[in-house]
Amino acid sequence: MIKNSQACRSNCPINFVLETFGDKWTLLIVRDLMFKGKQSYGEFLASDEKISTNILAERLKRLEDHEIIEKRTAPDNRSKFLYSFTSKGKDLLPIMLEITAWSAKHDATTNTPPEFLSMFENAREQLMKDILHQLDQD
Amino acid sequence: MIKNSQACRSNCPINFVLETFGDKWTLLIVRDLMFKGKQSYGEFLASDEKISTNILAERLKRLEDHEIIEKRTAPDNRSKFLYSFTSKGKDLLPIMLEITAWSAKHDATTNTPPEFLSMFENAREQLMKDILHQLDQD
DNA sequence: CTGTATCCTTAGGGATACTG
DNA sequence: CAGTATCCCTAAGGATACAG
């Protein structure tokens, strides 16, 4: 059972994300869904960090409750389920990219796949375009 | 006592930040130091979220061990200590700004101070300049 | 394949008294 | 002022067996 009533220690935006992502596992699921092409329970379960079945199920449900991911049945197999991001979930991309960039810069042991960094540069370019476009409007 | 030997579940950059920030308190200290002008133990202690003394002390030590913050004695008062960011700590700014932006967009109850958002826009503009400058180099 | 249920252990954390 | 030291308790999480 998932508790809907969260403590809500404050109305700070930093604290707000901690209420959802302030644990050791949730962000890894987001990573797998965002960067590793994983979509199913079994795929998430097979990650390097060895999450256990009950924790994974609880986190998936929580992310669904928070409307960060959605669950649907696979088109070909009705007993298989696929998870995907909502738009709210997709909006986590800039955060994930900045986290990746920070780790790549400050931890030599971190193994950052090249596609991470190229994706990051692409996103920053897109950001630049968005801002330029916005400036044109003014 | 702080354990130096971390589990290090994987070499993933997302997992790397979780080893340091994957709890409910650490990021709040970063926030107070970065956005609220707090520098001392007593100031951190007085935050809305009511961190307890032992937890705060442990987290400050941990951030120091990870070379994200530094501790020095106050110039005027030798029994007072001031915490400040290392360059590694300052590099957390883009992450913090993106987190703030995400919360501001997706949570109506979040109370985001205006200075947060203006600071965010400034940082994005600076980022744009950096990219343009970099493009000129090529 | 996608989870539940259960057991059990440990780590995280609140409260509070105390110290240099 | 800036922490330590304890006590205690709950929640988080690992392992594993089982189920639709």
Side-chain angles (χ1 to χ4, degrees):
Chain A
M1 182 62 76
I2 312 286
K3 293 173 193 167
N4 280 352
S5 60
Q6 293 197 338
C8 191
R9 303 176 292 181
S10 73
N11 287 327
C12 163
I14 301 295
N15 183 63
F16 176 68
V17 305
L18 288 177
E19 310 270 6
T20 306
F21 301 100
D23 74 285
K24 302 269 186 200
W25 291 112
T26 306
L27 218 55
L28 297 181
I29 298 174
V30 171
R31 172 202 64 184
D32 286 351
L33 188 59
M34 188 171 277
F35 297 124
K36 303 206 169 184
K38 300 188 179 185
Q39 306 182 82
S40 67
Y41 184 89
E43 290 171 324
F44 295 131
L45 205 57
S47 286
D48 287 349
E49 294 88 2
K50 301 297 171 196
I51 191 170
S52 62
T53 60
N54 51 348
I55 303 296
L56 175 57
E58 198 270 349
R59 291 303 190 279
L60 286 172
K61 204 165 292 174
R62 201 136 74 117
L63 285 171
E64 221 186 327
D65 288 346
H66 284 57
E67 295 179 302
I68 290 163
I69 63 175
E70 312 177 298
K71 181 182 184 175
R72 64 182 200 281
T73 60
D76 54 330
N77 181 350
R78 72 171 55 185
S79 70
K80 176 160 191 171
F81 298 100
L82 298 179
Y83 294 92
S84 58
F85 283 116
T86 62
S87 65
K88 181 176 176 182
K90 285 177 191 162
D91 282 346
L92 292 169
L93 179 62
I95 299 176
M96 299 297 284
L97 292 173
E98 293 293 353
I99 289 174
T100 303
W102 187 84
S103 289
K105 180 171 180 182
H106 292 289
D107 177 35
T109 72
T110 290
N111 184 14
T112 305
E115 64 266 27
F116 267 56
L117 294 175
S118 68
M119 196 181 301
F120 181 65
E121 288 309 318
N122 289 338
R124 283 200 148 159
E125 277 182 38
Q126 185 58 49
L127 177 61
M128 180 180 69
K129 283 184 200 165
D130 290 347
I131 293 174
L132 287 171
H133 179 70
Q134 185 180 326
L135 290 176
D136 280 347
Q137 304 290 321
D138 297 340
Chain B
M1 181 63 74
I2 313 286
K3 294 173 192 167
N4 280 352
S5 59
Q6 293 196 337
C8 190
R9 303 176 292 181
S10 72
N11 287 327
C12 163
I14 301 294
N15 183 64
F16 177 68
V17 305
L18 289 176
E19 310 269 6
T20 306
F21 301 101
D23 74 284
K24 300 268 186 200
W25 291 110
T26 305
L27 219 55
L28 297 181
I29 298 173
V30 171
R31 171 201 65 184
D32 286 351
L33 188 58
M34 189 171 277
F35 298 122
K36 303 206 169 183
K38 301 188 179 186
Q39 305 183 83
S40 67
Y41 184 89
E43 290 172 325
F44 294 130
L45 204 57
S47 286
D48 287 348
E49 294 87 2
K50 299 299 172 195
I51 191 170
S52 62
T53 60
N54 51 348
I55 304 296
L56 175 57
E58 198 268 349
R59 292 303 191 279
L60 286 172
K61 205 167 290 174
R62 201 136 75 117
L63 286 171
E64 220 186 329
D65 288 347
H66 285 55
E67 295 180 300
I68 289 164
I69 63 175
E70 311 176 299
K71 181 182 184 176
R72 64 181 199 282
T73 60
D76 54 330
N77 182 349
R78 71 171 56 185
S79 72
K80 176 159 192 170
F81 297 99
L82 297 179
Y83 294 91
S84 58
F85 283 118
T86 62
S87 65
K88 182 177 175 181
K90 287 176 190 161
D91 283 346
L92 292 169
L93 178 62
I95 298 176
M96 300 296 284
L97 292 173
E98 293 293 351
I99 288 175
T100 303
W102 186 84
S103 288
K105 180 171 180 184
H106 292 289
D107 178 34
T109 72
T110 290
N111 184 14
T112 306
E115 64 265 29
F116 268 54
L117 294 175
S118 67
M119 197 182 299
F120 181 65
E121 287 310 317
N122 289 338
R124 285 201 146 160
E125 278 182 37
Q126 185 58 48
L127 177 61
M128 180 180 69
K129 282 185 199 165
D130 290 346
I131 293 174
L132 288 172
H133 178 71
Q134 185 181 329
L135 289 176
D136 281 346
Q137 304 288 321
D138 299 339

mmCIF file of all heavy atoms in Angstrom, chain B residues 25-59:
data_model
loop_
_atom_site.group_PDB
_atom_site.id
_atom_site.type_symbol
_atom_site.label_atom_id
_atom_site.label_comp_id
_atom_site.label_asym_id
_atom_site.label_seq_id
_atom_site.Cartn_x
_atom_site.Cartn_y
_atom_site.Cartn_z
ATOM 1 N N TRP B 25 17.902 14.961 3.181
ATOM 2 C CA TRP B 25 18.412 16.152 3.857
ATOM 3 C C TRP B 25 19.546 16.882 3.140
ATOM 4 O O TRP B 25 19.615 18.112 3.159
ATOM 5 C CB TRP B 25 18.875 15.787 5.269
ATOM 6 C CG TRP B 25 17.747 15.434 6.169
ATOM 7 C CD1 TRP B 25 17.458 14.191 6.668
ATOM 8 C CD2 TRP B 25 16.729 16.304 6.671
ATOM 9 N NE1 TRP B 25 16.344 14.243 7.454
ATOM 10 C CE2 TRP B 25 15.871 15.529 7.473
ATOM 11 C CE3 TRP B 25 16.468 17.666 6.527
ATOM 12 C CZ2 TRP B 25 14.770 16.076 8.121
ATOM 13 C CZ3 TRP B 25 15.372 18.208 7.179
ATOM 14 C CH2 TRP B 25 14.543 17.415 7.953
ATOM 15 N N THR B 26 20.439 16.139 2.515
ATOM 16 C CA THR B 26 21.667 16.747 1.987
ATOM 17 C C THR B 26 21.399 17.906 1.041
ATOM 18 O O THR B 26 22.037 18.971 1.139
ATOM 19 C CB THR B 26 22.514 15.677 1.278
ATOM 20 O OG1 THR B 26 22.741 14.597 2.185
ATOM 21 C CG2 THR B 26 23.855 16.253 0.842
ATOM 22 N N LEU B 27 20.445 17.711 0.151
ATOM 23 C CA LEU B 27 20.189 18.743 -0.845
ATOM 24 C C LEU B 27 19.611 20.017 -0.231
ATOM 25 O O LEU B 27 19.761 21.111 -0.785
ATOM 26 C CB LEU B 27 19.241 18.191 -1.916
ATOM 27 C CG LEU B 27 19.530 18.615 -3.359
ATOM 28 C CD1 LEU B 27 20.960 18.281 -3.747
ATOM 29 C CD2 LEU B 27 18.565 17.935 -4.304
ATOM 30 N N LEU B 28 18.968 19.857 0.903
ATOM 31 C CA LEU B 28 18.424 21.040 1.577
ATOM 32 C C LEU B 28 19.543 21.920 2.129
ATOM 33 O O LEU B 28 19.434 23.152 2.138
ATOM 34 C CB LEU B 28 17.483 20.620 2.708
ATOM 35 C CG LEU B 28 16.225 19.854 2.278
ATOM 36 C CD1 LEU B 28 15.365 19.521 3.486
ATOM 37 C CD2 LEU B 28 15.428 20.642 1.239
ATOM 38 N N ILE B 29 20.612 21.299 2.577
ATOM 39 C CA ILE B 29 21.771 22.064 3.042
ATOM 40 C C ILE B 29 22.396 22.807 1.872
ATOM 41 O O ILE B 29 22.733 23.988 1.977
ATOM 42 C CB ILE B 29 22.797 21.119 3.704
ATOM 43 C CG1 ILE B 29 22.169 20.441 4.921
ATOM 44 C CG2 ILE B 29 24.054 21.878 4.099
ATOM 45 C CD1 ILE B 29 23.037 19.375 5.550
ATOM 46 N N VAL B 30 22.521 22.108 0.751
ATOM 47 C CA VAL B 30 23.045 22.745 -0.457
ATOM 48 C C VAL B 30 22.178 23.944 -0.842
ATOM 49 O O VAL B 30 22.689 25.022 -1.158
ATOM 50 C CB VAL B 30 23.102 21.737 -1.626
ATOM 51 C CG1 VAL B 30 23.441 22.435 -2.933
ATOM 52 C CG2 VAL B 30 24.112 20.640 -1.328
ATOM 53 N N ARG B 31 20.883 23.748 -0.795
ATOM 54 C CA ARG B 31 19.961 24.840 -1.097
ATOM 55 C C ARG B 31 20.178 26.042 -0.188
ATOM 56 O O ARG B 31 20.288 27.182 -0.653
ATOM 57 C CB ARG B 31 18.520 24.351 -0.921
ATOM 58 C CG ARG B 31 17.479 25.452 -1.004
ATOM 59 C CD ARG B 31 16.182 25.044 -0.328
ATOM 60 N NE ARG B 31 16.365 24.853 1.108
ATOM 61 C CZ ARG B 31 15.425 24.421 1.947
ATOM 62 N NH1 ARG B 31 14.237 24.097 1.471
ATOM 63 N NH2 ARG B 31 15.669 24.279 3.230
ATOM 64 N N ASP B 32 20.268 25.789 1.124
ATOM 65 C CA ASP B 32 20.420 26.896 2.075
ATOM 66 C C ASP B 32 21.716 27.657 1.843
ATOM 67 O O ASP B 32 21.761 28.878 1.972
ATOM 68 C CB ASP B 32 20.383 26.365 3.509
ATOM 69 C CG ASP B 32 18.977 25.964 3.929
ATOM 70 O OD1 ASP B 32 18.041 26.259 3.172
ATOM 71 O OD2 ASP B 32 18.823 25.358 5.002
ATOM 72 N N LEU B 33 22.754 26.905 1.506
ATOM 73 C CA LEU B 33 24.053 27.534 1.273
ATOM 74 C C LEU B 33 24.064 28.294 -0.049
ATOM 75 O O LEU B 33 24.680 29.351 -0.177
ATOM 76 C CB LEU B 33 25.139 26.453 1.278
ATOM 77 C CG LEU B 33 26.596 26.904 1.238
ATOM 78 C CD1 LEU B 33 26.923 27.808 2.407
ATOM 79 C CD2 LEU B 33 27.510 25.683 1.246
ATOM 80 N N MET B 34 23.338 27.754 -1.033
ATOM 81 C CA MET B 34 23.390 28.334 -2.378
ATOM 82 C C MET B 34 22.420 29.489 -2.575
ATOM 83 O O MET B 34 22.753 30.492 -3.204
ATOM 84 C CB MET B 34 23.107 27.238 -3.409
ATOM 85 C CG MET B 34 23.324 27.640 -4.850
ATOM 86 S SD MET B 34 23.210 26.217 -5.971
ATOM 87 C CE MET B 34 24.847 25.512 -5.859
ATOM 88 N N PHE B 35 21.229 29.369 -2.002
ATOM 89 C CA PHE B 35 20.197 30.349 -2.311
ATOM 90 C C PHE B 35 19.761 31.203 -1.124
ATOM 91 O O PHE B 35 19.125 32.231 -1.306
ATOM 92 C CB PHE B 35 18.958 29.661 -2.870
ATOM 93 C CG PHE B 35 19.202 28.940 -4.155
ATOM 94 C CD1 PHE B 35 18.947 27.588 -4.264
ATOM 95 C CD2 PHE B 35 19.693 29.620 -5.274
ATOM 96 C CE1 PHE B 35 19.168 26.914 -5.454
ATOM 97 C CE2 PHE B 35 19.917 28.943 -6.464
ATOM 98 C CZ PHE B 35 19.654 27.593 -6.554
ATOM 99 N N LYS B 36 20.039 30.746 0.074
ATOM 100 C CA LYS B 36 19.496 31.453 1.224
ATOM 101 C C LYS B 36 20.549 32.181 2.049
ATOM 102 O O LYS B 36 20.255 32.668 3.147
ATOM 103 C CB LYS B 36 18.704 30.486 2.108
ATOM 104 C CG LYS B 36 17.584 29.784 1.335
ATOM 105 C CD LYS B 36 16.442 29.352 2.218
ATOM 106 C CE LYS B 36 15.251 28.912 1.361
ATOM 107 N NZ LYS B 36 14.082 28.538 2.161
ATOM 108 N N GLY B 37 21.772 32.195 1.553
ATOM 109 C CA GLY B 37 22.812 32.950 2.231
ATOM 110 C C GLY B 37 23.209 32.409 3.592
ATOM 111 O O GLY B 37 23.848 33.103 4.385
ATOM 112 N N LYS B 38 22.836 31.177 3.869
ATOM 113 C CA LYS B 38 23.214 30.594 5.156
ATOM 114 C C LYS B 38 24.634 30.037 5.077
ATOM 115 O O LYS B 38 25.045 29.519 4.042
ATOM 116 C CB LYS B 38 22.230 29.489 5.541
ATOM 117 C CG LYS B 38 20.807 29.993 5.649
ATOM 118 C CD LYS B 38 19.869 28.944 6.219
ATOM 119 C CE LYS B 38 18.454 29.518 6.335
ATOM 120 N NZ LYS B 38 17.538 28.587 7.002
ATOM 121 N N GLN B 39 25.352 30.174 6.177
ATOM 122 C CA GLN B 39 26.742 29.713 6.178
ATOM 123 C C GLN B 39 27.133 28.959 7.434
ATOM 124 O O GLN B 39 28.159 28.295 7.449
ATOM 125 C CB GLN B 39 27.692 30.916 6.068
ATOM 126 C CG GLN B 39 27.444 31.828 4.897
ATOM 127 C CD GLN B 39 28.489 32.928 4.854
ATOM 128 O OE1 GLN B 39 29.594 32.756 4.358
ATOM 129 N NE2 GLN B 39 28.134 34.080 5.414
ATOM 130 N N SER B 40 26.339 29.084 8.466
ATOM 131 C CA SER B 40 26.765 28.512 9.744
ATOM 132 C C SER B 40 25.814 27.406 10.206
ATOM 133 O O SER B 40 24.651 27.333 9.793
ATOM 134 C CB SER B 40 26.812 29.608 10.799
ATOM 135 O OG SER B 40 25.505 30.088 11.064
ATOM 136 N N TYR B 41 26.337 26.589 11.067
ATOM 137 C CA TYR B 41 25.585 25.478 11.651
ATOM 138 C C TYR B 41 24.226 25.928 12.190
ATOM 139 O O TYR B 41 23.197 25.321 11.897
ATOM 140 C CB TYR B 41 26.424 24.872 12.771
ATOM 141 C CG TYR B 41 25.838 23.666 13.426
ATOM 142 C CD1 TYR B 41 26.100 22.391 12.940
ATOM 143 C CD2 TYR B 41 25.035 23.783 14.552
ATOM 144 C CE1 TYR B 41 25.581 21.273 13.547
ATOM 145 C CE2 TYR B 41 24.500 22.673 15.163
ATOM 146 C CZ TYR B 41 24.773 21.420 14.667
ATOM 147 O OH TYR B 41 24.238 20.328 15.272
ATOM 148 N N GLY B 42 24.245 26.995 12.944
ATOM 149 C CA GLY B 42 23.009 27.477 13.542
ATOM 150 C C GLY B 42 21.980 27.916 12.522
ATOM 151 O O GLY B 42 20.780 27.714 12.698
ATOM 152 N N GLU B 43 22.461 28.491 11.442
ATOM 153 C CA GLU B 43 21.544 28.933 10.391
ATOM 154 C C GLU B 43 20.912 27.740 9.669
ATOM 155 O O GLU B 43 19.707 27.737 9.385
ATOM 156 C CB GLU B 43 22.287 29.826 9.392
ATOM 157 C CG GLU B 43 22.669 31.187 9.976
ATOM 158 C CD GLU B 43 23.579 31.987 9.050
ATOM 159 O OE1 GLU B 43 24.430 31.384 8.363
ATOM 160 O OE2 GLU B 43 23.450 33.219 9.031
ATOM 161 N N PHE B 44 21.728 26.734 9.381
ATOM 162 C CA PHE B 44 21.182 25.532 8.747
ATOM 163 C C PHE B 44 20.141 24.878 9.645
ATOM 164 O O PHE B 44 19.128 24.362 9.184
ATOM 165 C CB PHE B 44 22.294 24.527 8.446
ATOM 166 C CG PHE B 44 23.280 24.995 7.428
ATOM 167 C CD1 PHE B 44 24.641 24.922 7.680
ATOM 168 C CD2 PHE B 44 22.862 25.507 6.213
ATOM 169 C CE1 PHE B 44 25.570 25.348 6.744
ATOM 170 C CE2 PHE B 44 23.778 25.943 5.271
ATOM 171 C CZ PHE B 44 25.138 25.865 5.538
ATOM 172 N N LEU B 45 20.423 24.912 10.929
ATOM 173 C CA LEU B 45 19.555 24.270 11.902
ATOM 174 C C LEU B 45 18.170 24.912 11.931
ATOM 175 O O LEU B 45 17.175 24.261 12.254
ATOM 176 C CB LEU B 45 20.200 24.366 13.287
ATOM 177 C CG LEU B 45 19.808 23.330 14.327
ATOM 178 C CD1 LEU B 45 20.077 21.921 13.815
ATOM 179 C CD2 LEU B 45 20.575 23.579 15.615
ATOM 180 N N ALA B 46 18.102 26.173 11.554
ATOM 181 C CA ALA B 46 16.860 26.935 11.693
ATOM 182 C C ALA B 46 15.947 26.841 10.472
ATOM 183 O O ALA B 46 14.999 27.605 10.361
ATOM 184 C CB ALA B 46 17.196 28.398 11.980
ATOM 185 N N SER B 47 16.209 25.909 9.562
ATOM 186 C CA SER B 47 15.378 25.817 8.353
ATOM 187 C C SER B 47 13.978 25.295 8.648
ATOM 188 O O SER B 47 13.746 24.677 9.683
ATOM 189 C CB SER B 47 16.053 24.906 7.329
ATOM 190 O OG SER B 47 17.141 25.577 6.753
ATOM 191 N N ASP B 48 13.094 25.540 7.679
ATOM 192 C CA ASP B 48 11.698 25.141 7.829
ATOM 193 C C ASP B 48 11.532 23.651 8.121
ATOM 194 O O ASP B 48 10.591 23.257 8.806
ATOM 195 C CB ASP B 48 10.925 25.456 6.532
ATOM 196 C CG ASP B 48 10.691 26.943 6.380
ATOM 197 O OD1 ASP B 48 10.916 27.674 7.352
ATOM 198 O OD2 ASP B 48 10.272 27.364 5.284
ATOM 199 N N GLU B 49 12.420 22.834 7.554
ATOM 200 C CA GLU B 49 12.207 21.392 7.626
ATOM 201 C C GLU B 49 12.648 20.763 8.933
ATOM 202 O O GLU B 49 12.471 19.560 9.139
ATOM 203 C CB GLU B 49 12.889 20.701 6.441
ATOM 204 C CG GLU B 49 12.275 21.051 5.091
ATOM 205 C CD GLU B 49 12.888 22.328 4.498
ATOM 206 O OE1 GLU B 49 13.794 22.891 5.135
ATOM 207 O OE2 GLU B 49 12.444 22.727 3.410
ATOM 208 N N LYS B 50 13.255 21.546 9.823
ATOM 209 C CA LYS B 50 13.582 21.080 11.176
ATOM 210 C C LYS B 50 14.487 19.850 11.184
ATOM 211 O O LYS B 50 14.101 18.768 11.644
ATOM 212 C CB LYS B 50 12.293 20.775 11.954
ATOM 213 C CG LYS B 50 11.384 21.977 12.121
ATOM 214 C CD LYS B 50 12.058 23.090 12.888
ATOM 215 C CE LYS B 50 11.219 24.358 12.895
ATOM 216 N NZ LYS B 50 12.028 25.521 13.338
ATOM 217 N N ILE B 51 15.671 20.035 10.676
ATOM 218 C CA ILE B 51 16.659 18.966 10.741
ATOM 219 C C ILE B 51 17.179 18.868 12.172
ATOM 220 O O ILE B 51 17.271 19.871 12.875
ATOM 221 C CB ILE B 51 17.812 19.249 9.750
ATOM 222 C CG1 ILE B 51 18.723 18.032 9.605
ATOM 223 C CG2 ILE B 51 18.611 20.489 10.164
ATOM 224 C CD1 ILE B 51 19.726 18.151 8.462
ATOM 225 N N SER B 52 17.492 17.664 12.606
ATOM 226 C CA SER B 52 17.990 17.535 13.982
ATOM 227 C C SER B 52 19.518 17.651 14.010
ATOM 228 O O SER B 52 20.196 17.470 12.994
ATOM 229 C CB SER B 52 17.527 16.220 14.603
ATOM 230 O OG SER B 52 18.023 15.127 13.902
ATOM 231 N N THR B 53 20.031 17.944 15.174
ATOM 232 C CA THR B 53 21.440 18.344 15.302
ATOM 233 C C THR B 53 22.406 17.269 14.826
ATOM 234 O O THR B 53 23.391 17.570 14.144
ATOM 235 C CB THR B 53 21.761 18.681 16.766
ATOM 236 O OG1 THR B 53 21.526 17.521 17.574
ATOM 237 C CG2 THR B 53 20.909 19.826 17.254
ATOM 238 N N ASN B 54 22.139 16.033 15.178
ATOM 239 C CA ASN B 54 23.069 14.962 14.798
ATOM 240 C C ASN B 54 23.078 14.733 13.294
ATOM 241 O O ASN B 54 24.142 14.533 12.697
ATOM 242 C CB ASN B 54 22.725 13.672 15.541
ATOM 243 C CG ASN B 54 21.267 13.297 15.408
ATOM 244 O OD1 ASN B 54 20.453 14.106 14.945
ATOM 245 N ND2 ASN B 54 20.912 12.099 15.791
ATOM 246 N N ILE B 55 21.903 14.788 12.679
ATOM 247 C CA ILE B 55 21.810 14.602 11.235
ATOM 248 C C ILE B 55 22.538 15.726 10.508
ATOM 249 O O ILE B 55 23.325 15.478 9.577
ATOM 250 C CB ILE B 55 20.340 14.568 10.771
ATOM 251 C CG1 ILE B 55 19.567 13.478 11.509
ATOM 252 C CG2 ILE B 55 20.258 14.352 9.268
ATOM 253 C CD1 ILE B 55 20.037 12.088 11.230
ATOM 254 N N LEU B 56 22.320 16.954 10.948
ATOM 255 C CA LEU B 56 22.985 18.085 10.308
ATOM 256 C C LEU B 56 24.502 17.955 10.390
ATOM 257 O O LEU B 56 25.208 18.118 9.393
ATOM 258 C CB LEU B 56 22.532 19.398 10.964
ATOM 259 C CG LEU B 56 23.236 20.658 10.464
ATOM 260 C CD1 LEU B 56 23.085 20.823 8.965
ATOM 261 C CD2 LEU B 56 22.726 21.899 11.197
ATOM 262 N N ALA B 57 25.002 17.629 11.565
ATOM 263 C CA ALA B 57 26.447 17.485 11.739
ATOM 264 C C ALA B 57 26.998 16.397 10.831
ATOM 265 O O ALA B 57 28.044 16.571 10.188
ATOM 266 C CB ALA B 57 26.758 17.162 13.190
ATOM 267 N N GLU B 58 26.280 15.291 10.741
ATOM 268 C CA GLU B 58 26.749 14.176 9.919
ATOM 269 C C GLU B 58 26.777 14.567 8.446
ATOM 270 O O GLU B 58 27.725 14.260 7.723
ATOM 271 C CB GLU B 58 25.831 12.965 10.156
ATOM 272 C CG GLU B 58 26.414 11.639 9.736
ATOM 273 C CD GLU B 58 26.055 11.276 8.301
ATOM 274 O OE1 GLU B 58 25.189 11.950 7.691
ATOM 275 O OE2 GLU B 58 26.645 10.326 7.789
ATOM 276 N N ARG B 59 25.747 15.270 7.988
ATOM 277 C CA ARG B 59 25.668 15.661 6.584
ATOM 278 C C ARG B 59 26.739 16.690 6.218
ATOM 279 O O ARG B 59 27.330 16.644 5.139
ATOM 280 C CB ARG B 59 24.286 16.214 6.263
ATOM 281 C CG ARG B 59 23.190 15.195 6.312
ATOM 282 C CD ARG B 59 23.425 14.037 5.383
ATOM 283 N NE ARG B 59 22.255 13.198 5.262
ATOM 284 C CZ ARG B 59 21.910 12.260 6.137
ATOM 285 N NH1 ARG B 59 22.648 12.000 7.182
ATOM 286 N NH2 ARG B 59 20.811 11.536 5.941
#
